[in-house]
Amino acid sequence: MMAPDATHHSSRIGYVLKVFPRLSETFVINEIRELERQDVEVHVLSLHQPPAAVPHELLRKLAAPTVQIDALPRPSEEALRRATVVLAERIAEGRLLGERL
């Protein structure tokens, strides 16, 4: 059995937000900070880039990486198919989401 190291986390969670960061997202930022304090590995997926820089002091305290989805290259059809299969298997409502996945 390996001893946990500094990069080991007991659980993980992802946030999917329309736009992040936003100045009005204080609640979400504080929630993420608390999860990180509890040793939860947090990842943030922002569907769109914020229209302007957000000078929020709390943002500098987040360890969670933020990925701007609209800045990524479009995945291949094969990658989309595989991701849809995996999500449908892991999310109970996955089959009902259809194209929204």
Side-chain angles (χ1 to χ4, degrees):
M1 182 170 157
M2 292 179 19
D5 60 21
T7 61
H8 173 75
H9 294 277
S10 58
S11 58
R12 298 182 302 181
I13 190 166
Y15 281 79
V16 179
L17 302 161
K18 186 173 182 179
V19 176
F20 187 84
R22 282 187 178 169
L23 197 53
S24 62
E25 296 285 4
T26 305
F27 176 83
V28 173
I29 295 168
N30 283 326
E31 188 172 289
I32 293 170
R33 287 183 64 216
E34 176 58 23
L35 288 167
E36 290 177 340
R37 188 191 70 73
Q38 294 179 31
D39 199 32
V40 175
E41 181 181 0
V42 179
H43 293 266
V44 178
L45 303 172
S46 178
L47 299 179
H48 305 286
Q49 187 172 7
V54 179
H56 209 306
E57 178 65 30
L58 293 175
L59 285 172
R60 288 189 274 286
K61 297 178 181 177
L62 293 183
T66 299
V67 175
Q68 304 293 162
I69 299 298
D70 60 355
L72 298 174
R74 180 162 175 78
S76 69
E77 290 300 318
E78 175 62 20
L80 288 172
R81 186 192 66 70
R82 284 193 321 263
T84 301
V85 169
V86 169
L87 287 171
E89 291 172 353
R90 294 185 182 185
I91 300 173
E93 302 81 14
R95 301 206 190 290
L96 302 175
L97 295 175
E99 289 296 312
R100 292 178 59 191
L101 284 176

